[in-house]
Amino acid sequence: MRIRKVCTSTPTSPAKHCRFSPSVSACNTPCFRLATHHHFDRDRIDRRKLIPARRDGCLDLHAPAGCFRSKFHQRKSWSGNRMTDVSAAPKLDPREQHFRLPGPREGLSLFLRFLPVPNSESRPRRVVLYVHGATFPSALSIAHRFDGKSWRDALTEAGFDVWGLDFYGFGHSGRYPEMDQPAGDSAPLCVAQDAAKQLEAAVRFILGHQNVDKLSLISHSWGSMPASLLASAHPALIDRLVLFAPIGRREPRRYETPAALPAWRIVTTEDQWNRFIEDVPAHEPPVLSRVHFDQWSQLYLDSDPEGRSRDPAGVKTPLGPFSEIIKAWHGQLAYDPTQVKSPVAIIRGEWDGLMLDNDARWLFNAFTQAPVKRDIKISRGTHLMHLEAMRPALWRESINFLHGNDVAPIPA
């Protein structure tokens, strides 16, 4: 195997239309706009064989013999019948590094971006991986800079090496072949079980690459589902779990079942704007600048190679995440919180319409095996607080939790 580091300069009453898209119907339930399985087995990796070799300014990482051999060391990778130019991924910081690795689905690769702490050879490594939500990738969330600073920058200043993963169908990772077919021909793509396998591949690669035993996860929204699935299945790999604006389980209403959804849909910038501002009370001043959003939205369109060619312009987005949010609100959460054994922090905004106080209370109580739990509510924040005025408070709360040292010893 060669991993390329890419160097670049059914409702019971009439259906209620989802607020996220007039073309997607759902039950009368609150919603929002919207070959072989190969693992990196860290125990089998001989790190002496991970030898960096400069070629044309890029860094190739050669994995041990016997591992899956991938064609993704080429500058282009297959996506169904389509080629995606992965060298086009822009560097968001001069120190940022890009990696492409095989994931659980043969023929599709995963894209990782990495920003290390500068001048950090002598310190113990503290590593964080960001798990994005339902509609946009890591570059537009933890790594996106408003007024020159991002959440990722705050984390590196606090001593954390930060990674961002794009799931299949998002950002610079491979596109599902089904995304080239009519949306109605397939079930929703990128459900949590699938995404958890992708996340595991990324985590095992990162642990081997950085020579550490475990890392922490920061997830947003639906990303809490694959993150918690992985933390449940492999507790030894996960240090701490930050669930920013997670999705909780709600009891289904009688005779109501989740709506059937297609494989994917197009999300326009206007869809995103409407979703971003809908939970701010009418009498309150804005928490997201339209100037900031307009800058962000142009990069959002660029996250899909065909985004600007559509009319209206929009990003083709897997609907697995949205379908699982709807299922969670019909009593079918994609993971069992009682199986999570890592310290957990729920961080949410006062105006988050997807994580209400009752949702947070249920989720907090359900993490029965987590040795440390926090439920942190920040004023004047919505489900998209990481893009809003209160984002520095979100950064500080996440960093404080990730540093640990929660419990003082009790003298005998």
Side-chain angles (χ1 to χ4, degrees):
M1 175 184 67
R2 180 176 294 171
I3 302 165
R4 178 78 169 202
K5 173 183 166 187
V6 182
C7 294
T8 64
S9 354
T10 318
T12 58
S13 56
K16 173 183 176 183
H17 286 302
C18 171
R19 289 181 289 166
F20 191 39
S21 169
S23 63
V24 177
S25 294
C27 300
N28 292 329
T29 304
C31 60
F32 65 93
R33 301 184 191 271
L34 247 202
T36 307
H37 186 176
H38 301 281
H39 291 279
F40 285 99
D41 188 343
R42 185 169 168 271
D43 295 332
R44 292 190 296 109
I45 291 179
D46 181 352
R47 295 188 185 88
R48 292 171 298 179
K49 296 181 181 178
L50 290 173
I51 303 171
R54 288 285 174 182
R55 296 184 180 182
D56 301 325
C58 294
L59 180 66
D60 284 346
L61 296 178
H62 303 275
C67 287
F68 175 56
R69 181 171 179 78
S70 171
K71 57 191 171 189
F72 298 118
H73 61 282
Q74 302 171 2
R75 279 201 177 268
K76 295 179 183 287
S77 69
W78 284 103
S79 173
N81 296 321
R82 202 153 40 83
M83 295 283 279
T84 301
D85 186 356
V86 301
S87 65
K91 293 180 71 172
L92 307 180
D93 184 278
R95 294 184 294 108
E96 183 176 84
Q97 302 171 27
H98 294 171
F99 298 87
R100 181 165 291 282
L101 59 146
R105 184 161 173 171
E106 187 172 4
L108 294 182
S109 63
L110 295 170
F111 177 79
L112 283 165
R113 58 179 75 242
F114 172 46
L115 189 66
V117 175
N119 305 319
S120 58
E121 288 79 3
S122 61
R123 68 171 183 85
R125 313 300 295 190
R126 298 177 68 95
V127 183
V128 173
L129 170 60
Y130 181 78
V131 186
H132 66 72
T135 64
F136 51 91
S138 60
L140 293 166
S141 43
I142 196 168
H144 184 73
R145 286 173 171 154
F146 286 119
D147 299 326
K149 190 167 184 177
S150 69
W151 192 354
R152 182 174 69 167
D153 294 329
L155 284 161
T156 58
E157 289 174 4
F160 294 92
D161 295 330
V162 184
W163 295 76
L165 168 67
D166 293 349
F167 287 119
Y168 291 154
F170 293 88
H172 293 280
S173 284
R175 294 295 196 265
Y176 293 96
E178 293 90 340
M179 293 179 73
D180 289 331
Q181 305 301 319
D185 287 359
S186 302
L189 297 167
C190 199
V191 296
Q193 287 285 351
D194 177 14
K197 295 175 183 177
Q198 300 172 46
L199 185 58
E200 181 185 352
V203 166
R204 292 187 182 278
F205 168 74
I206 292 167
L207 296 180
H209 179 70
Q210 294 215 250
N211 193 23
V212 293
D213 294 325
K214 56 175 61 179
L215 53 72
S216 294
L217 299 176
I218 297 177
S219 69
H220 176 227
S221 186
W222 164 84
S224 61
M225 298 185 194
S228 296
L229 277 172
L230 179 63
S232 301
H234 301 285
L237 304 182
I238 306 304
D239 184 13
R240 292 185 159 237
L241 195 56
V242 173
L243 305 182
F244 160 50
I247 302 300
R249 179 185 180 276
R250 298 178 184 174
E251 290 296 330
R253 288 180 287 192
R254 185 177 295 182
Y255 308 127
E256 198 169 74
T257 58
L261 296 176
W264 54 266
R265 64 152 304 210
I266 304 299
V267 181
T268 68
T269 56
E270 194 62 22
D271 290 332
Q272 292 286 29
W273 172 253
N274 291 335
R275 180 169 77 98
F276 285 11
I277 65 172
E278 66 183 354
D279 285 335
V280 179
H283 62 280
E284 295 286 350
V287 294
L288 172 64
S289 159
R290 185 75 206 209
V291 172
H292 281 168
F293 176 80
D294 288 343
Q295 296 168 352
W296 180 94
S297 66
Q298 296 308 301
L299 299 172
Y300 174 66
L301 291 177
D302 291 339
S303 71
D304 180 348
E306 299 173 357
R308 294 180 182 273
S309 66
R310 302 186 177 100
D311 187 17
V315 175
K316 188 177 286 190
T317 306
L319 269 178
F322 178 68
S323 73
E324 291 192 313
I325 293 173
I326 297 298
K327 287 181 178 180
W329 291 343
H330 287 78
Q332 303 172 33
L333 187 62
Y335 69 97
D336 181 358
T338 67
Q339 299 306 302
V340 174
K341 300 178 179 66
S342 301
V344 177
I346 299 167
I347 308 180
R348 56 196 176 96
E350 174 189 12
W351 299 329
D352 188 340
L354 278 70
M355 172 62 19
L356 305 177
D357 287 342
N358 286 342
D359 300 327
R361 184 179 303 111
W362 180 91
L363 194 57
F364 182 90
N365 291 337
F367 285 120
T368 55
Q369 293 199 72
V372 174
K373 300 187 291 184
R374 295 187 195 175
D375 176 17
I376 302 163
K377 184 178 179 180
I378 298 174
S379 65
R380 296 187 51 77
T382 78
H383 197 67
L384 287 305
M385 184 164 46
H386 55 329
L387 308 180
E388 298 171 349
M390 294 302 293
R391 59 189 180 273
L394 169 64
W395 302 347
R396 283 195 295 270
E397 295 292 351
S398 65
I399 290 168
N400 287 341
F401 177 75
L402 290 171
H403 274 309
N405 300 318
D406 309 275
V407 182
I410 299 176

